[in-house]
Amino acid sequence: MTLQPRATLAYLHAGQSGFSETGGSLLDLGYGATSTDEVAARLTARLMHSFAARSWVLAPWAEAGVQETLSGLSRGVVVTAGEFSSRVAGVAPATIAAMIGVGLDAAANDAMHLFIRYQGLFSANQLENAFSAGLSVSF
């Protein structure tokens, strides 16, 4: 068994182009381009164990920890309809969230690796679930 402490600092930039619709007179719609930037720090501990199963090396793991969002908590958009414009505020995520993850990494040899993973993020007003799987082949 291996216990692996992990610390991550992540920066995310997401943007969406604006658009406008015309021909509706007072009901013309305009949506300006928006973007958001977020910085989050994560501190987790991963427990894993590797073992051989026939010609494969399997490494199941589980991790748990905490994530703090340091910036980028405001959520909102500005919508314009004809002569009228309004800013609509969204719900900001909680700054602290619990994080869990489980997965299985498998290697047939040095050139072929498989993985399957689940990661969840849980806070007072936010729930995120992510599943992923993949295959890596090297030549």
Side-chain angles (χ1 to χ4, degrees):
M1 296 290 253
T2 303
L3 180 62
Q4 182 183 53
R6 300 166 60 101
T8 305
L9 182 64
Y11 167 75
L12 170 73
H13 171 81
Q16 181 174 354
S17 300
F19 68 89
S20 62
E21 296 176 345
T22 59
S25 187
L26 282 176
L27 299 177
D28 288 348
L29 179 62
Y31 178 85
T34 61
S35 66
T36 187
D37 296 284
E38 182 176 294
V39 176
R42 184 179 282 183
L43 185 60
T44 61
R46 180 177 283 189
L47 183 63
M48 64 183 116
H49 178 66
S50 297
F51 61 92
R54 296 192 183 237
S55 62
W56 290 81
V57 175
L58 303 176
W61 55 267
E63 70 181 340
V66 65
Q67 175 177 298
E68 181 171 2
T69 304
L70 305 170
S71 70
L73 292 169
S74 64
R75 302 287 192 259
V77 295
V78 176
V79 178
T80 303
E83 303 272 331
F84 306 101
S85 180
S86 176
R87 176 167 173 77
V88 180
V91 175
T95 57
I96 303 289
M99 183 257 149
I100 61 166
V102 292
L104 174 65
D105 296 331
N109 51 48
D110 288 340
M112 188 169 90
H113 301 267
L114 297 166
F115 72 88
I116 185 165
R117 298 179 183 147
Y118 163 78
Q119 289 191 312
L121 195 66
F122 309 95
S123 71
N125 64 350
Q126 180 180 355
L127 171 64
E128 294 182 17
N129 294 291
F131 295 91
S132 59
L135 168 66
S136 171
V137 178
S138 302
F139 299 97

